Amino acid sequence: MSANPNDSARTTDALETPLARAERLRPVIEAHLAEIDAERRLPDAVVTPMREAGLFRLLVPRSLGGEEMPLPEYLDVVRTVAHADGSTGWCFNQGTVFATHAGRAPRALAEEVWGDPNTVVANGPPEGPVSYKRVKGGHQLTGNWMFSSGSPHANWIAAVAGGSDLPVRLHLLPKNEVTFVDVWQVQGLRGTGSFGFGVSDHFVPESRAMALDQPPPEPGPLYMIPQELLFACGFACVALGVARAGLDGTIELASVKHPQSSRKPLCEDPVVQAQMGRAESIWHAAKALLHESVRVVWDSVSARGAITDEERLRLRMAGTHAIRESAAAVDIAYNLSGSSAIFASQKIQRRFQDAHVITQQVQGREAHYQTVGRFFLGV
């Protein structure tokens, strides 16, 4: 049997921490920023080294060959990747968090999908009515789904359907069994390849459909925390990474840019100094709240094997706040950059676009503040 050419790379990568691997890949990602934007997807030159570094398997159970990484440590990896590029950070978190289904799925399905070390699963919410009907040996699935981030480099596609008289099921399909629709004509997070997809009367074997409300077979704390909250915390770190890159780019610009009618660089302007101090405070406070909340909940869930309603709300609060405040910090940096900010050559332009797309995703909705407020008010 011939050796897998990726085995030696993975063996080497296993000797590094996940954070060290992400740091090592930052210049690789940054070297392909123009291609990511132009192609509206992650190129193989970015995805392949991420696969070889095992980044998409950080949250896969150890029993399936994954790393089952503690959530507090995982957040630093997401922020590092997103600092290099928001689209790459988004796709990384999307694929990696979705892989926690490997700890929730029936074992045979988990082995079929996530037993492959190269697997990345893309998914998306329904667009309009979606349905399935029971047939011999499985389901007949019909519908359309949107925002399938990372679909260009995925090898499996997940489609949720059900309701009314049928239980909700997650259906896993090989990528070549769905039809994609290019709807991703956007400015921010251009490289996520978040296309739509659909099927019509498509047969899905029963063995490739799973319930979403069953206790997870894997016992670890990673699989006790609702997946939507793992997404919330991860995407919050994407926002923090994007904002950090935007602030860093503005700091660089301020040291060399001279406003009209001034001999001093922008960084010596007292107003600029005050505003940058405010932006830094916003960013660091949002990061601190997120990391403290995740650490406290992680320790609690690890000790008790369950998550409380209050802990759920604290993760929702911290995730939403980090996303919204990251955009606020970027806005300050954008305004400080003046007319320079409108040019694609400036780091702040890309990060401004990315940060505001993140706020529009379901995890960043302002309505989450109301949910949190109702809880703390005892309503």
Side-chain angles (χ1 to χ4, degrees):
M1 180 182 295
S2 61
N4 186 329
N6 293 328
D7 285 348
S8 60
R10 289 197 176 98
T11 300
T12 301
D13 289 334
L15 301 176
E16 294 180 290
T17 66
L19 183 57
R21 287 174 243 162
E23 289 281 6
R24 177 166 52 80
L25 289 178
R26 275 179 56 185
V28 175
I29 297 168
E30 291 169 348
H32 292 86
L33 292 181
E35 185 178 355
I36 290 170
D37 253 17
E39 299 296 326
R40 293 179 299 121
R41 55 171 288 173
L42 304 189
D44 291 343
V46 169
V47 174
T48 297
M50 291 178 68
R51 275 195 169 104
E52 291 175 349
L55 293 188
F56 292 112
R57 295 180 63 76
L58 295 182
L59 305 185
V60 171
R62 283 186 288 271
S63 63
L64 287 169
E67 298 191 40
E68 203 169 327
M69 187 179 189
L71 181 61
E73 298 172 19
Y74 169 73
L75 299 185
D76 290 326
V77 182
V78 179
R79 194 178 65 254
T80 297
V81 175
H83 186 274
D85 175 52
S87 293
T88 306
W90 187 274
C91 288
F92 163 56
N93 184 66
Q94 177 69 35
T96 306
V97 169
F98 195 86
T100 57
H101 275 307
R104 300 181 173 97
R107 184 67 184 193
L109 178 58
E111 289 178 347
E112 180 183 13
V113 177
W114 287 280
D116 178 358
N118 290 315
T119 282
V120 175
V121 181
N123 72 305
E127 179 188 21
V130 297
S131 64
Y132 71 88
K133 56 184 178 181
R134 297 186 185 278
V135 296
K136 184 177 180 180
H139 300 160
Q140 207 79 13
L141 181 66
T142 296
N144 295 290
W145 293 261
M146 289 188 66
F147 303 128
S148 186
S149 299
S151 56
H153 60 261
N155 55 329
W156 287 83
I157 302 297
V160 66
S164 63
D165 58 337
L166 285 173
V168 175
R169 292 287 185 270
L170 184 69
H171 301 82
L172 287 152
L173 298 78
K175 180 179 175 177
N176 60 5
E177 294 184 4
V178 308
T179 300
F180 286 100
V181 181
D182 183 355
V183 295
W184 198 239
Q185 306 293 333
V186 296
Q187 292 304 311
L189 297 182
R190 280 176 59 83
T192 60
S194 300
F195 304 140
F197 66 90
V199 293
S200 180
D201 290 326
H202 184 77
F203 178 71
V204 180
E206 181 69 38
S207 62
R208 290 180 178 169
M210 61 176 283
L212 296 176
D213 57 355
Q214 300 297 315
E218 289 286 339
L222 195 57
Y223 312 109
M224 302 296 174
I225 299 174
Q227 193 182 73
E228 64 178 10
L229 295 178
L230 298 179
F231 275 125
C233 296
F235 287 138
C237 278
V238 175
L240 286 167
V242 166
R244 184 68 261 164
L247 293 175
D248 290 347
T250 301
I251 291 170
E252 293 173 12
L253 176 66
S255 67
V256 296
K257 179 175 180 176
H258 288 69
Q260 288 185 354
S261 305
S262 175
R263 295 182 179 180
K264 295 181 178 180
L266 202 61
C267 63
E268 295 187 23
D269 185 324
V271 174
V272 172
Q273 294 168 354
Q275 288 299 304
M276 184 54 70
R278 180 165 166 261
E280 288 284 354
S281 299
I282 290 171
W283 186 87
H284 282 281
K287 176 177 176 285
L289 175 63
L290 179 67
H291 280 261
E292 178 193 16
S293 300
V294 169
R295 172 57 69 184
V296 169
V297 173
W298 179 261
D299 289 345
S300 175
V301 174
S302 298
R304 293 185 296 102
I307 184 170
T308 67
D309 286 343
E310 181 174 348
E311 289 166 347
R312 292 171 187 252
L313 265 293
R314 287 190 179 278
L315 292 183
R316 173 60 70 199
M317 174 181 68
T320 300
H321 195 64
I323 289 172
R324 308 300 304 189
E325 291 296 273
S326 291
V330 167
D331 284 351
I332 293 173
Y334 185 87
N335 288 327
L336 291 180
S337 300
S339 60
S340 300
I342 69 175
F343 293 98
S345 60
Q346 295 296 328
K347 293 180 181 180
I348 188 61
Q349 169 59 213
R350 186 191 196 97
R351 277 68 187 194
F352 177 84
Q353 300 284 358
D354 288 351
H356 284 279
V357 169
I358 296 172
T359 64
Q360 303 308 104
Q361 204 262 358
V362 64
Q363 303 296 350
R365 293 190 309 179
E366 283 194 331
H368 293 317
Y369 282 124
Q370 180 184 0
T371 304
V372 172
R374 286 171 60 86
F375 177 83
F376 284 112
L377 287 167
V379 179

